[in-house]
Structures are given as structure tokens and as C-alpha cells.
Amino acid sequence: MIKNSFIPVISQKKEEENTGSVEFQVFNFTNKIRKLTSHFELHPKDYLSQRGLRKILGKRKRLLSYLSKKNQIRYKKLINQLDIRDSQIR
């Protein structure tokens, strides 16, 4: 049920942008994070998936840090578009 809600947005993004771009990768990681957090509401003791979530969070954090150092305007636009918090540590 949740998986279907993300598919149209991803397919639109694939047509518009390069799949290797930082924005697209952060977008995909954010969707995976949102899916996993909803998964934990039903399965709170799924520790293996929690480890996977922490790994994805770290990857997204590193990509956002890279983007904020390279292009602050694209970084701010992406943060506002995905509605995620601005990282305090860069």
C-alpha cells in the first residue's frame, strides 16, 4: 500500500533527472527511509531492518553534506522539496 504511493513520483523523477545525480539519490534514500519507518510501526523489533535504516541514513547524510559544500542553493532547494531537516553538522 505504501509502496504504490511512491512509484509515480519516482517515475517522474527518472524522466526528468539523471539517476546518478545527488538529488535523485537523496530522493530515493528519503523514500526508503519513509518506507522503513512505517514498517517499524508494525514490526518494532525488526533489528536487522533498523541496521539497514541507520546505514541509509548515514549515506543520505554524507550526500547532503557533500551537496551543501558544493552547491548551497541546490542543497536548500532539495531540503525544502523533500521536507527534511537541515543538518546542523556539515
Side-chain angles (χ1 to χ4, degrees), residues 33-47:
I33 290 167
R34 289 180 180 156
K35 286 180 203 174
L36 282 172
T37 53
S38 65
H39 169 78
F40 292 135
E41 292 173 2
L42 296 174
H43 309 283
K45 293 188 177 185
D46 188 357
Y47 299 116

Side-chain angles (χ1 to χ4, degrees), residues 12-56:
Q12 290 173 0
K13 274 289 207 188
K14 281 185 181 177
E15 295 170 359
E16 294 173 5
E17 293 186 24
N18 180 12
T19 57
S21 70
V22 175
E23 289 91 349
F24 188 82
Q25 291 179 37
V26 171
F27 177 77
N28 276 342
F29 286 144
T30 303
N31 282 339
K32 287 180 184 180
I33 290 167
R34 289 180 180 156
K35 286 180 203 174
L36 282 172
T37 53
S38 65
H39 169 78
F40 292 135
E41 292 173 2
L42 296 174
H43 309 283
K45 293 188 177 185
D46 188 357
Y47 299 116
L48 189 60
S49 293
Q50 287 179 9
R51 179 176 183 263
L53 175 66
R54 285 193 299 270
K55 290 180 78 167
I56 293 171

